[in-house]
Amino acid sequence: MGAWKQFLASDIIVNPFVVNKSFTFTPGTSSGQFAYLGYTSSLSGEIVDNEAVGINRFLGINTNYYTNSTLTGQLTSSLSGSVPAYLADFVQYNQGLVYNSVKQLYYTNFLSSSTGDNVSQPVLIPGFNSSGDVLIGKIESPLYDNFLQSTLVPNRFWPTASGAEVGVISIPSKLFGDYIQPNSIKLIVPYEEDSISYSLLISDDGGGNLIIDGTDINVGNVIYPHGMIIYTNSASYSNEGYGISFYGTGEYGSGVGVLPSASDVINNNITLSFSSSYTIYEAQYKCTLRESEFNATLNPSAQKSGSVVEVSGSYFYQRADGTLSNNVTGSYFSPYVTTVGLYDEAQNLLAVGKLAQPLPTSATTDTTILINIDK
């Protein structure tokens, strides 16, 4: 049996803490796969139980999406039979719509300047009433919220030429949690130039920019809380000269004149590494037993035994009246605590905490038991 005591507000503390987990995905192999509640995700991705859980890749092209109906997306279905139409629509999107959607969300302030476009907006001067409100002058400010990832001067480039391509890697929230951990992205892109095979390492700088590893060359952006990795192929470079070599070239000081295209990022067997970030809330309940509380026991084994009575030739066991046994009524007796239960206001048992060993209560000092529950 047990006894109840109500918590005070000061007895409950909720502490958030962030946990991280690293993942590495390589297409075509089982390494790097991630199981989540029965779902299996790989770089190519799949649909399980009508839900897309894989890492999808899209090729966005600056084209007329009314006349060009080419679809993009690499999620494949593991469902038997043909994929339902609504799933097919969910897996793949029109290349033109991908281009315009990413531009609208993340690059509308950066179409003419990589550091941001400012739009002239008038200032409202309120009058005595609405008829007295006037608009005077103008200010320069961004027009859209493009989800900037730091307070530093932004560096975003968006290709606007006809037929321009961008690569989009979409990581589902089941993998990255609350957001992708900054400085954790490593993207290895194999590609060919002049019949020579290369492998370029791209990483993020922690401020939302994709850079060629070991340089300050920006080739795209990362939206950490959205799980979006956007490759814009925003620079061309030549690293001819002594002392400069890129990952996987196999030659010290060799030159690589052209970046991999967006198609290379989307279609080639890239390797992607990143770390997830997820906030866990731990609730701590402080159960305090005062020296004058819980100093008696309600355990049936501590009560006096019942007796056997005879009624009309039949024998029945008659329970005791609750009187404690003599050995537990002395002043030196101290009950032991073995289990703590948490109840709601309707006295419904919600959680049970078991102590590692029985804990004797004290008749002279308070006894505090801490219960931690991760939410």
Side-chain angles (χ1 to χ4, degrees):
M1 300 179 66
W4 289 270
K5 183 175 181 180
Q6 187 171 359
F7 285 112
L8 301 177
S10 59
D11 295 330
I12 304 174
I13 302 175
V14 178
N15 294 315
F17 63 94
V18 178
V19 295
N20 305 109
K21 180 175 175 58
S22 299
F23 301 99
T24 298
F25 294 90
T26 303
T29 67
S30 59
S31 63
Q33 290 189 340
F34 174 65
Y36 177 85
L37 297 180
Y39 301 124
T40 301
S41 174
S42 63
L43 188 61
S44 60
E46 59 185 17
I47 295 178
V48 181
D49 296 337
N50 293 352
E51 183 173 2
V53 295
I55 297 177
N56 210 349
R57 293 186 284 173
F58 303 97
L59 179 65
I61 300 179
N62 185 13
T63 183
N64 189 326
Y65 49 83
Y66 288 108
T67 58
N68 185 355
S69 59
T70 304
L71 300 180
T72 180
Q74 294 188 344
L75 279 180
T76 58
S77 173
S78 64
L79 301 177
S80 58
S82 60
V83 181
Y86 69 92
L87 283 181
D89 292 340
F90 180 79
V91 173
Q92 295 186 320
Y93 300 95
N94 183 284
Q95 291 179 337
L97 289 178
V98 170
Y99 174 91
N100 284 279
S101 296
V102 174
K103 180 181 72 172
Q104 171 66 28
L105 285 173
Y106 308 120
Y107 293 92
T108 38
N109 287 331
F110 301 90
L111 299 182
S112 63
S113 173
S114 62
T115 57
D117 305 326
N118 287 327
V119 181
S120 297
Q121 295 180 337
V123 179
L124 176 65
I125 305 298
F128 179 76
N129 51 45
S130 58
S131 63
D133 294 348
V134 294
L135 296 172
I136 63 172
K138 62 181 181 179
I139 59 174
E140 299 288 335
S141 66
L143 184 60
Y144 301 96
D145 178 11
N146 287 154
F147 302 98
L148 299 180
Q149 300 302 294
S150 75
T151 57
L152 301 176
V153 176
N155 186 6
R156 293 189 181 183
F157 167 83
W158 186 253
T160 58
S162 177
E165 297 181 351
V166 295
V168 181
I169 301 176
S170 177
I171 303 173
S173 59
K174 287 189 187 309
L175 292 181
F176 69 78
D178 296 329
Y179 57 89
I180 299 175
Q181 186 179 13
N183 290 117
S184 69
I185 294 177
K186 299 294 181 182
L187 180 63
I188 301 176
V189 182
Y191 67 106
E192 289 189 2
E193 174 64 21
D194 296 332
S195 300
I196 301 177
S197 296
Y198 298 101
S199 184
L200 190 65
L201 176 60
I202 301 172
S203 58
D204 74 294
D205 64 354
N209 301 307
L210 284 179
I211 60 174
I212 298 174
D213 199 59
T215 74
D216 57 356
I217 299 174
N218 186 300
V219 293
N221 298 97
V222 183
I223 313 299
Y224 299 110
H226 295 180
M228 301 292 289
I229 301 175
I230 306 166
Y231 179 80
T232 59
N233 193 4
S234 54
S236 61
Y237 68 94
S238 175
N239 60 321
E240 302 282 356
Y242 177 80
I244 301 177
S245 180
F246 286 96
Y247 179 89
T249 59
E251 296 181 52
Y252 187 76
S254 64
V256 181
V258 179
L259 287 170
S261 66
S263 298
D264 293 328
V265 175
I266 300 307
N267 298 320
N268 293 352
N269 287 337
I270 66 173
T271 299
L272 174 63
S273 301
F274 66 92
S275 292
S276 64
S277 298
Y278 187 72
T279 302
I280 295 177
Y281 294 90
E282 182 181 71
Q284 183 179 85
Y285 297 88
K286 184 173 67 172
C287 307
T288 301
L289 287 63
R290 304 296 182 188
E291 71 277 2
S292 59
E293 298 174 334
F294 303 95
N295 51 15
T297 180
L298 300 176
N299 196 314
S301 64
Q303 300 175 9
K304 290 184 177 180
S305 301
S307 58
V308 178
V309 296
E310 181 182 358
V311 178
S312 301
S314 299
Y315 294 92
F316 299 91
Y317 179 77
Q318 182 176 351
R319 298 183 61 182
D321 58 2
T323 304
L324 295 178
S325 302
N326 294 333
N327 63 323
V328 296
T329 58
S331 58
Y332 292 103
F333 172 75
S334 175
Y336 283 72
V337 179
T338 60
T339 305
V340 178
L342 301 183
Y343 296 79
D344 61 12
E345 295 180 352
Q347 296 184 356
N348 296 314
L349 182 61
L350 303 179
V352 176
K354 293 285 188 179
L355 277 68
Q357 59 186 19
L359 176 69
T361 60
S362 174
T364 58
T365 60
D366 294 346
T367 302
T368 300
I369 301 173
L370 299 179
I371 300 178
N372 296 325
I373 300 178
D374 294 339
K375 296 183 177 181

